[in-house]
Amino acid sequence: MTISPSTMEDKSNKLILIPILAVVFLMIGYQYICPAGSNSCRFLTGDKLSGMFRQYHSGDDIYAYQEGLESEGSSKTLSKFNFTDRDLERHVDFNIKGDDVIVFLHIQKTGGTTFGRHLVRNIHLEQPCDCMPGQKKCTCHRPGKAESWLFSRFSTGWSCGLHADWTELTNCVPVVMNKKDKKDAQRDRRNFYYITMLRDPVSRYLSEWKHVQRGATWKTALHMCDGRSPTQDELPACYSGNDWTGVTLTNFMDCPSNLANNRQVRMLADLSLVGCYNVSTIGAERERGRVLLASAKNNLRNMAFFGLTEFQRKTQYLFERTFGLRFIQAFTQINSTRAASVGVGEGALRRRIEGLNALDVELYEYAKELFLRRYQYSRQTQHREQRLRRRQERQEERQWLHQHTAPISKARREEEEREIEGVEGEEVGGVATTEDYSSQVVRW
């Protein structure tokens, strides 16, 4: 059978026509599904996806991911805890000339010494703290008054005991401040704004171990609760002698009454809820821990401010936004600590430390998300404030232009109308006003 050249040409044309029709059909379908101007077919490119993935796994992981979302114009974040706007919004009308007092709750080995020095040496104040060379304490008086606006180690000393916790401070500070400033308790109208610093529990625990290993004890701490200090039976010592110098990490972890365990939760919780240091008042250890953790979270959330050692710049920003104060020099992030030199890896040693500090681990997870969410919330609020301020400035400019150009435009229009009086059909008013307005804008 012989196939003519014309038949072969017709078949080849049909084969070519099929893919062309398929392409046309796909284009029509795409236009139907994704019409012009629609947001339904906007996809992230591979570069953008990989960029956000890298952000999420970088140093400031949670915030970096949230910042990526914020740049996309979305307010949604990955949240494990149900924080409200009231939890996130932090701004106090701190009146340094009135009766307001900032109370710094200093937890051991959380970077509190560095932050405490920032408070007395690095804040831009009308009347700066008076820090004399060679003296540990500074005098931080209100402008024109011999009264302290700051209750901290570097301003009032350890007036409520060495490293006083939340239970001690809330009962002690008002009494001490009244004595110092000689105020009648009935006339006392002070607002006490409590602040603190937290740190990653494993790093903090290792740092405390290294500190104790060098001879630190904090044995003069009062641990006052419900009007008394704990007995020797309630809080037995972990060592005999003057200190625990040279203690190994294993021995440090083996002491069941070591206050380094879950120190951050204990320092922030209301210890009266569990009978203070009398462990027999609440039955199971797990129940006692649950009560302490819930109390620590609640007190931390309701504090005026808390910072995280791992986020120095964000800590500075949130403090400034909260109190309306400004630091003179920027905070610096220092990661080369003694705790960082202790290699615990990800194995059994780390798991044991985390087990001994299980409450602190959960508290820090809670605190970290709350801190980063507050940072994002504050940044978004600041951006809105800036937009509103720019909008108001533009409105004021337009009002100024309107007030200053209208009389000139009217006089110019009347003059031009007199000059061309009698010329029929000439629309002078609008032209004159427009030209005069433009000239005013140029001069402005």
Side-chain angles (χ1 to χ4, degrees), residues 236-249:
C238 287
Y239 56 91
S240 58
N242 294 326
D243 54 44
W244 213 0
T245 301
V247 60
T248 65
L249 180 56

Side-chain angles (χ1 to χ4, degrees), residues 92-95 98-103 142 149 188-194 323:
V92 297
D93 187 16
F94 181 69
N95 185 5
D99 295 313
D100 295 350
V101 179
I102 294 177
V103 182
R142 307 180 192 278
W149 59 268
D188 187 13
R189 299 180 180 178
R190 291 189 185 90
N191 294 314
F192 294 106
Y193 296 108
Y194 286 82
F323 289 99

Side-chain angles (χ1 to χ4, degrees), residues 48-92:
K48 200 165 194 177
L49 280 171
S50 62
M52 289 184 68
F53 183 84
R54 286 192 299 269
Q55 274 188 318
Y56 182 65
H57 289 81
S58 62
D60 293 0
D61 49 359
I62 295 178
Y63 172 68
Y65 177 66
Q66 292 176 337
E67 197 170 39
L69 290 176
E70 185 179 344
S71 66
E72 292 296 314
S74 171
S75 61
K76 296 180 180 179
T77 56
L78 298 180
S79 176
K80 182 178 178 180
F81 306 100
N82 295 321
F83 296 121
T84 64
D85 285 351
R86 183 178 179 181
D87 298 329
L88 302 181
E89 196 280 329
R90 275 296 177 273
H91 176 74
V92 297

Side-chain angles (χ1 to χ4, degrees), residues 39 48 50 62 95 105 138 204-205 207 218 222 225 272 281 297 311 321 342 349-350 399 404 407 416 432:
N39 293 328
K48 200 165 194 177
S50 62
I62 295 178
N95 185 5
L105 194 165
C138 303
R204 198 215 65 79
Y205 188 82
S207 182
W218 301 301
L222 300 176
C225 180
S272 299
T281 55
K297 286 182 178 179
F311 300 90
R321 288 281 295 177
V342 181
L349 180 57
R350 173 175 287 274
Q399 291 176 358
H404 288 76
E416 292 191 0

